[in-house]
Each structure stands twice: as C-alpha cells, then as structure tokens.
Amino acid sequence: MKLTALVIGLGNTLRGDDALGPIAAERVRQAVDPQVVRVINRCEPTPDLALELSEAGRVVFLDASIEGPADRVLVRRLHETNAAEALGHQLSLGTLLSLTRRLYGDVPEAFAITFRGRTFELSDRCLTPATESAVAAMVDETLRVIESEKVIADA
C-alpha cells in the first residue's frame, strides 16, 4: 500500500537556521496520521531516498534556503532533471526524482517548501527569530499540500 505522503525535513540541526527543515518536519509529524503520512529527517538528499519516494503518492521536502524572499515561505512543484547527472556530493531533488523513476518506474508528485535562512553558524537547533516565525507557515503549507486533491503550485 502506498503512503499518501512522505514528508522529508532536510537540514543539519547543528547549523543554525539549517535546522528549519527537521524542526518543521517534527511539527508536521505531530499533526498527521502516521499510517498515511511518513515523516523523516535527513541532512541532505541521498540516492537511498529513491526507495522511500517510490512508496509515496506525494512527497514534500522541507528545507532552509540560501535564496528567495526574506519574508515568506515558498512552495514549489518539483520536476525531474537529467538522471544521467553524476551522483556526487550534491544530489538535486530533481535528480532524485529521476533516479526514483529509473529504479522504480514511477515518481510521486513532489514539492519543496522553503524559507530563506539567516545564519548557518554552529548552534544546536537554534533558529533565528525570523526563521522561527516561518515554522508555523511551513507546517500549514505542508498540511495543505498533503491534504489537497490537486495542488496548483509550480516553479
């Protein structure tokens, strides 16, 4: 049975605002039924996530960004990119989607929900005030995406 959704919090909890993805994902975990929505945290996207993606109908990646508007959470639909790209240290989300299709024959509907972080200095799960204020909006957007029949978000 496919999961309705997979939520992946991306980021390093020891790097200031980079902890945003995992912190938001943990709050999503508290608000969903674990029988239909799986929530996991990872430092970065890795090839082994392809199996996890293949088992979900929709995937949402939560992450702090180094770009984008300073005052709002962004929701982007993700698309596959060239699967022939080298699987080096930086695996893009689009390449991960392509890898999922190549290995498992299908790919879930995928979204990235991001907010621009302010600092990525060493600190344990310590968000700046602006980033802390974005957590609730990220959770709300995640719930909207995973509960919606059809999502109209494209980038």
Side-chain angles (χ1 to χ4, degrees), residues 10 44-50 53 61 81-83 85-100:
L10 295 173
E44 61 186 23
T46 54
D48 62 298
L49 284 173
L53 269 63
F61 295 93
T81 56
N82 186 358
E85 290 180 16
L87 297 177
H89 289 299
Q90 296 296 326
L91 176 66
S92 76
L93 297 178
T95 302
L96 178 57
L97 292 173
S98 294
L99 180 63
T100 302

Side-chain angles (χ1 to χ4, degrees), residues 7 9 19-29 39 41 62-63 125 127 134-136 138-139 142:
V7 176
L20 176 61
I23 289 171
E26 288 305 318
R27 293 195 190 160
V28 168
R29 183 190 314 275
V39 179
N41 288 325
L62 304 176
D63 200 5
R125 300 180 70 85
L127 301 176
V135 173
M138 286 186 83
V139 171
T142 302

Side-chain angles (χ1 to χ4, degrees), residues 124-136:
D124 188 11
R125 300 180 70 85
C126 186
L127 301 176
T128 58
T131 304
E132 177 65 44
S133 71
V135 173

Side-chain angles (χ1 to χ4, degrees), residues 14-93:
L14 297 175
R15 299 298 302 231
D17 286 346
D18 201 31
L20 176 61
I23 289 171
E26 288 305 318
R27 293 195 190 160
V28 168
R29 183 190 314 275
Q30 297 169 5
V32 298
D33 178 352
Q35 298 297 315
V36 292
V37 179
R38 182 156 187 238
V39 179
I40 61 176
N41 288 325
R42 296 291 176 86
C43 283
E44 61 186 23
T46 54
D48 62 298
L49 284 173
L51 176 60
E52 302 275 355
L53 269 63
S54 74
E55 296 172 346
R58 185 173 288 168
V59 64
V60 179
F61 295 93
L62 304 176
D63 200 5
S65 175
I66 58 170
E67 54 193 28
D71 60 344
R72 67 185 171 98
V73 169
L74 294 180
V75 179
R76 297 182 295 120
R77 182 181 302 273
L78 298 172
H79 302 281
E80 295 174 63
T81 56
N82 186 358
E85 290 180 16
L87 297 177
H89 289 299
Q90 296 296 326
L91 176 66
S92 76
L93 297 178

